[in-house]
Structure formats: C-alpha cells, structure tokens
Amino acid sequence: MSNRFRGYLPVVIDVETAGFNSQTDALLEIAAVTLTMDDDGNLLIDQSYEFNVDPFEGANLEKAALEFTGIDPYNPLRGAIPEQEALEKIFKPIRKAVKAHNCKRAILVGHNASFDHGFVSAAAERCDIKRNPFHPFSTFDTATMAGLAFGHTVLARACDLADIDFDGHQAHSALYDTMKTAELFCTIVNRWKDLGGWQMVQDNYE
C-alpha cells in the first residue's frame, strides 16, 4: 500500500454540515473509511467510523442546509459529541492505519474533496489539534476521477455507471456517502490496475 500512493494512505471522508463556509458553519456529521490492499494489489474497504457532532459554540446554522440534510442539530437522539472529541476519535484509528501500512501520512479521499478537506482542517484548527493525520492540501477527488472514468461527476450517477448500488433515500448521511465514495474510489483505482496502468508505472520504476 505504501508504494501505491507514494507513501500516503487514502482515507475516505464525508462530512455533513450546516452550510458551505468551513470557518463559520457547523460540522454536524463526520465519517471515515480506511482502505487496505489484498495480495493482488486491489484496494478494499477496511474499517469505518462515524460520529454525530454538536455545533461548536457560535456556529452558524443555515436553514437551507439543515432542510437539505434533514439534520436537527439539537435532537438528543442524535447522540452527538463535541467537535474535538469527534475529531480525536476519527484521527486516532487513521493514525494507526497509516502506521500499519508503513505510510507517512493520510491523504483525504472525498467526492468534491476540497469541501470535506476544508471542514476537517478548519475543525482541527478550531480544536487546536496539532497532529492532523491528513496532508495539508493534497486530496483525491472522486468527482474528478469519476468524470474521467465514467463521464459523470454526480456521486449517485457515477455509482450507477460503475455498477455500485446507490440508495438515494440514504444519501446525505455521512457514513452512507463515505461508503459509496470509498466503493467508487476503489473501483476506479482497481480498474486502472486491471487495464495495466499501474503495472506500467511500476515497470518504469524497476
């Protein structure tokens, strides 16, 4: 795994938020999926993690965003935890996975990855977390990858074209979207390998 992505471990992240501004709008859900590799060099889903998050103090809650996601930030049945606790619980197993795969750092995989990366980075900064496991600016964006591989950038449509089941009723749940993004990422990377693309790169290194 460490050789496949130049020492970086891909970790799929999805966030649900109360708006588009990572500096002012609340982070409400975060999910992560770590990946591993089998003996044939195929990427596989490994572990998943999900937490509902309490809005940070003073956070903006856009009504339109809450209506879109269907999240009630103050519903006690959410079992939400403080932002810092959620990040620490997400980052800890990611750091362990990075170490287990002999990688130097995690790299965030997301559908429109800059959005998720921005919210994760802003939350880590707010919580004064020094050991953010993710690369500070590089990401893998499955919207871009799907546009290349399948000619479509919308997650649901790209999954359909990739023969990945997608239930629109479960969409906009952080864990569901993360799992589908992970399946899409693995499918694209593995098909590229099967087409000989990765082997050609390896051969050039040898």
Side-chain angles (χ1 to χ4, degrees):
M1 177 70 94
S2 62
N3 293 329
R4 180 62 183 85
F5 300 101
R6 203 170 60 82
Y8 292 103
L9 178 69
V11 177
V12 188
I13 292 283
D14 185 77
V15 298
E16 299 297 331
T17 69
F20 296 112
N21 190 325
S22 62
Q23 300 298 319
T24 60
D25 300 339
L27 172 65
L28 299 176
E29 292 183 11
I30 183 169
V33 169
T34 55
L35 305 177
T36 190
M37 185 176 282
D38 66 17
D39 292 338
D40 295 322
N42 294 304
L43 282 189
L44 307 170
I45 289 173
D46 189 12
Q47 301 294 323
S48 64
Y49 310 90
E50 176 193 25
F51 298 99
N52 292 328
V53 184
D54 285 322
F56 64 88
E57 186 175 355
N60 181 54
L61 302 169
E62 290 289 340
K63 181 180 178 182
L66 299 180
E67 289 175 349
F68 180 74
T69 62
I71 298 172
D72 176 359
Y74 299 110
N75 185 337
L77 298 179
R78 291 180 69 226
I81 59 178
E83 190 175 66
Q84 181 158 358
E85 183 181 352
L87 287 186
E88 289 173 347
K89 287 186 173 182
I90 285 280
F91 286 174
K92 185 176 180 180
I94 291 173
R95 293 191 193 101
K96 286 184 177 179
V98 167
K99 185 176 181 180
H101 286 287
N102 296 314
C103 292
K104 56 187 176 183
R105 201 158 194 176
I107 186 166
L108 188 147
V109 180
H111 203 77
N112 300 308
S114 62
F115 180 84
D116 303 282
H117 189 275
F119 269 88
V120 171
S121 298
E125 187 173 344
R126 267 194 305 272
C127 298
D128 197 27
I129 295 176
K130 304 298 184 184
R131 295 179 58 225
N132 184 338
F134 288 105
H135 192 286
F137 54 84
S138 292
T139 60
F140 287 122
D141 183 5
T142 52
T144 302
M145 295 172 70
L148 173 65
F150 299 111
H152 215 294
T153 59
V154 175
L155 180 59
R157 182 63 177 139
C159 285
D160 181 56
L161 292 167
D163 294 324
I164 297 169
D165 290 336
F166 192 94
D167 182 354
H169 296 292
Q170 296 188 63
H172 307 302
S173 151
L175 183 59
Y176 187 80
D177 287 356
T178 306
M179 291 295 292
K180 293 303 167 183
T181 300
E183 288 183 54
L184 182 61
F185 180 72
C186 290
T187 295
I188 294 171
V189 172
N190 293 339
R191 287 191 184 181
W192 172 247
K193 179 187 71 67
D194 292 342
L195 290 169
W198 171 235
Q199 188 61 50
M200 288 187 291
V201 174
Q202 281 189 313
D203 291 343
N204 287 334
Y205 279 124
E206 293 174 356

